[in-house]
Amino acid sequence: MMSRYRYVFCLLIIFVILIETMGISSAKSSNTSTPSKQMVQLLTDIRNYSKSRKNNFIMLGNGASSLLAKYPQLFNTLDGLMVESMFYGGGMKENVMTSKTDTNYHKQLLKLPLQRKFPVFNLDYCHSAAKIRDAYQKANALGIVESVSSRWELDIPYGMKLTESPKICYNLRNVKSFLVMLNPGRYSTVKKYIDALAATKQDMLIIDLYFGGTPLTKQQVQRLKKRSDGKRRIVLAYMSVGEAETYRPYWKKSWNKNPPTWLSKVNSDWGSYRVKYWTPQWKSILYGSSGSYLDMIMAASFDGVFIDTIDTYSYFEN
């Protein structure tokens, strides 16, 4: 009889162990992180890190509207959204009206942010006066802050006659006009570049941290924080979180032949490499030390960061 009880007891123990093992396995499965969740986590980490150093540091997300629709907690992480080619320039075709399908797709994704009075910005690409007026009218009707560039390269100041914000700009909700100028290559010296930017009237500038491989200084950025009329404006620095750019100081020549495991395939549109942005190696390039990208932006006294290539998550999910 005792041996029988021992037998039954052993079976029960085995059964309990199996159940617990299955539960652990199920928990691991349910907690598996998807590329979209990993991107949300990265943005959250950047937010927490930046706020620990500068509480009012701004984060403007480009290509984040579809992610925001899926993860509403990003309303507490990002301070605003940027979209591109909502009305003109779709399919990377300059001065061509974006298809109704793509425009309606943007409108659908932006319904909730606009309902919540979340700052939304759109950058179109066209150069004819009639199309520029049309883009501004359509954006204004939706409550979106519009800007239009005539060049994909974003290498020259641009803008139609501006209605300047009556307020001093310290946050995105006050911005009524903005300029994106990411490529300073047309300027022979940093002085000429800074002079050209300082002469603009927009409420917000989105520029690159670097000129000719050298980061802008705190003094240069402070100068840009004043519009040509002397009023305060916002200055944001560009930072790509989903792709590595071969012309950046962090890029090592050895990666061309022997890329690290966290580098993925090249984006043929721009020549940059998609990255496994959830890896510690890439995160350490982005933030966490005096030589990391975000820390250098903060050291140069930028008001915040313009975060690009957020939509890289869709590449890994597909």
Side-chain angles (χ1 to χ4, degrees):
M1 291 290 292
M2 291 298 292
S3 62
R4 179 182 295 178
Y5 283 125
R6 287 195 188 98
Y7 177 73
V8 172
F9 184 70
C10 288
L11 286 177
L12 285 171
I13 292 175
I14 293 170
F15 180 74
V16 170
I17 292 172
L18 285 171
I19 290 296
E20 289 181 348
T21 303
M22 291 173 64
I24 292 171
S25 176
S26 176
K28 285 182 178 179
S29 176
S30 62
N31 289 330
T32 299
S33 200
T34 62
S36 60
K37 287 181 181 178
Q38 292 281 17
M39 180 57 77
V40 171
Q41 186 60 55
L42 174 60
L43 296 175
T44 303
D45 291 344
I46 292 173
R47 173 52 127 193
N48 292 337
Y49 182 79
S50 62
K51 281 181 73 70
S52 69
R53 284 150 181 80
K54 185 179 180 182
N55 188 53
N56 59 348
F57 195 72
I58 296 169
M59 285 176 55
L60 175 60
N62 189 34
S65 53
S66 58
L67 196 65
L68 187 62
K70 191 175 182 180
Y71 301 98
Q73 64 263 39
L74 281 177
F75 280 113
N76 298 319
T77 303
L78 299 173
D79 297 294
L81 285 176
M82 175 77 78
V83 293
E84 289 185 81
S85 306
M86 188 168 177
F87 305 113
Y88 289 92
M92 298 185 71
K93 296 179 180 178
E94 203 173 277
N95 209 45
V96 175
M97 183 177 287
T98 301
S99 70
K100 289 184 178 180
T101 300
D102 288 348
T103 297
N104 289 334
Y105 174 74
H106 283 300
K107 287 181 179 179
Q108 187 65 33
L109 288 177
L110 294 176
K111 275 186 177 181
L112 181 59
L114 291 172
Q115 286 174 359
R116 297 181 61 157
K117 306 297 182 183
F118 197 63
V120 178
F121 305 86
N122 177 57
L123 176 61
D124 280 312
Y125 297 90
C126 57
H127 48 74
S128 71
K131 291 177 179 179
I132 291 173
R133 285 194 299 270
D134 183 55
Y136 273 88
Q137 289 170 359
K138 288 177 177 177
N140 291 338
L142 293 173
I144 296 171
V145 181
E146 175 75 8
S147 190
V148 176
S149 174
S150 62
R151 292 173 58 82
W152 280 105
E153 293 82 1
L154 297 171
D155 58 353
I156 56 173
Y158 60 85
M160 61 185 295
K161 186 177 180 180
L162 301 170
T163 302
E164 295 182 10
S165 171
K167 298 180 180 180
I168 297 174
C169 278
Y170 287 106
N171 64 68
L172 295 184
R173 296 184 183 277
N174 292 338
V175 173
K176 304 299 181 185
S177 58
F178 67 97
L179 167 69
V180 183
M181 188 171 165
L182 302 180
N183 183 359
R186 293 169 66 94
Y187 295 89
S188 57
T189 66
V190 68
K191 183 183 183 304
K192 290 181 179 180
Y193 173 59
I194 296 298
D195 286 347
L197 287 173
T200 61
K201 296 181 179 181
Q202 285 89 342
D203 296 333
M204 179 170 68
L205 295 181
I206 299 174
I207 62 175
D208 203 83
L209 168 63
Y210 291 92
F211 179 91
T214 302
L216 297 181
T217 66
K218 186 175 182 178
Q219 292 73 23
Q220 289 165 338
V221 175
Q222 288 290 350
R223 184 186 173 198
L224 296 179
K225 288 183 180 181
K226 288 186 179 181
R227 301 186 313 206
S228 59
D229 61 3
K231 293 182 180 179
R232 175 73 159 90
R233 65 173 162 197
I234 292 170
V235 184
L236 304 182
Y238 176 93
M239 184 173 77
S240 172
V241 297
E243 296 183 2
E245 297 148 322
T246 60
Y247 53 87
R248 296 298 184 186
Y250 60 71
W251 186 269
K252 297 180 180 179
K253 290 183 179 180
S254 60
W255 293 354
N256 295 322
K257 293 184 177 180
N258 298 299
T261 57
W262 49 267
L263 269 183
S264 188
K265 293 184 178 180
V266 67
N267 181 343
S268 57
D269 289 335
W270 302 106
S272 50
Y273 285 79
R274 298 179 180 92
V275 298
K276 298 173 184 177
Y277 46 82
W278 54 88
T279 59
Q281 296 92 328
W282 175 245
K283 288 184 178 182
S284 68
I285 289 174
L286 291 182
Y287 67 92
S289 66
S290 60
S292 63
Y293 212 104
L294 182 65
D295 291 73
M296 292 178 70
I297 288 172
M298 299 184 80
S301 80
F302 281 88
D303 293 304
V305 62
F306 173 73
I307 302 181
D308 197 19
T309 63
I310 292 174
D311 53 359
T312 299
Y313 80 87
S314 60
Y315 166 80
F316 288 102
E317 287 197 336
N318 293 331

